[in-house]
Amino acid sequence: GESVGLHLPTLSVQEGDNSIINCAYSNSASDYFIWYKQESGKGPQFIIDIRSNMDKRQGQRVTVLLNKTVKHLSLQIAATQPGDSAVYFCAENLDYGQNFVFGPGTRLSVLP
Amino acid sequence: DAGVTQSPTHLIKTRGQQVTLRCSPKSGHDTVSWYQQALGQGPQFIFQYYEEEERQRGNFPDRFSGHQFPNYSSELNVNALWLGDSALYLCASSPNPNTEAFFGQGTRLTVV
């Protein structure tokens, strides 16, 4: 599985600005990807997903972009709010099933 | 509609002991997966249960075992606890094996 350090990358944005969180995934054969938000003391919360036959998917205030050529995912959050402050994980599905491999996470800090 | 529920929320065990964690999936979900999340890291897949059988397993030793009951609830058992087993244990459920996983709040296990 993934092995990451204790010091998460941090992204600080001003309230109202747009946020872009990036993730490099590991396996070119992965066909399903999810972005999760995790607040302190809580379990990961589903934000948005995308399958490998798409390159963009939009939700409410969020957009996920998938670039299979360079194995890169991004999560865009529009008009970032204080409630968006959390750790964000991308997760890839390597095969049929629930064996999701999580990225190292990015801490989003929203400044007033 | 209750989401994924886990019990207990916190637990302290002594090295060498055994522990059982419990999970009730979201209504309508028949697939349950377990993840271990060490402090500052992303969740790591332990195993998945579907139709009362272990369907997939991550890179965890045999000390980690589980069970799924006819009502789709699940247990995670860890034998011969190590200090390194201290983590947040997350249960996730989904309506079928290849869709988004919805996580519970987790059980915080501390081994002393």
Side-chain angles (χ1 to χ4, degrees), chain B residues 11-87:
Chain B
L11 199 54
I12 299 175
K13 287 286 190 178
T14 302
R15 187 174 47 185
Q17 285 188 315
Q18 177 265 345
V19 68
T20 298
L21 311 181
R22 295 177 175 82
C23 172
S24 292
K26 186 176 169 67
S27 178
H29 289 188
D30 60 8
T31 302
V32 173
S33 301
W34 288 91
Y35 288 78
Q36 180 195 66
Q37 186 175 25
L39 191 63
Q41 298 187 16
Q44 290 197 336
F45 176 76
I46 303 175
F47 42 52
Q48 172 203 359
Y49 277 84
Y50 174 65
E51 294 184 336
E52 300 180 51
E53 290 189 12
E54 182 182 296
R55 299 290 179 166
Q56 286 186 308
R57 189 178 183 92
N59 187 25
F60 280 82
D62 292 344
R63 298 186 298 109
F64 290 76
S65 63
H67 188 77
Q68 184 177 37
F69 299 94
N71 66 354
Y72 309 126
S73 67
S74 177
E75 288 181 350
L76 164 66
N77 300 293
V78 187
N79 294 322
L81 285 165
W82 296 3
L83 297 179
D85 295 330
S86 295

Side-chain angles (χ1 to χ4, degrees), chain A residues 1-2 4-6 8 32 34 36 38 42-44 46 49 51 89 93 95-100 102-103, chain B residues 31 33 35 37 39-45 48 56 88 90 94 96-105:
Chain A
E2 297 287 330
V4 298
L6 292 176
L8 292 172
Y32 182 48
I34 300 179
Y36 284 96
Q38 187 172 26
K42 297 185 178 181
F46 173 90
D49 60 356
R51 295 201 177 269
F89 292 99
N93 190 261
D95 51 29
Y96 189 84
Q98 289 285 298
N99 185 359
F100 285 95
F102 282 72
Chain B
T31 302
S33 301
Y35 288 78
Q37 186 175 25
L39 191 63
Q41 298 187 16
Q44 290 197 336
F45 176 76
Q48 172 203 359
Q56 286 186 308
L88 181 68
L90 295 161
S94 63
N96 66 67
N98 198 30
T99 59
E100 67 269 23
F102 292 87
F103 284 84
Q105 299 284 67

Side-chain angles (χ1 to χ4, degrees), chain A residues 77-93:
Chain A
I77 304 174
T80 311
Q81 302 169 0
D84 295 327
S85 293
V87 177
Y88 289 80
F89 292 99
C90 66
E92 61 182 299
N93 190 261

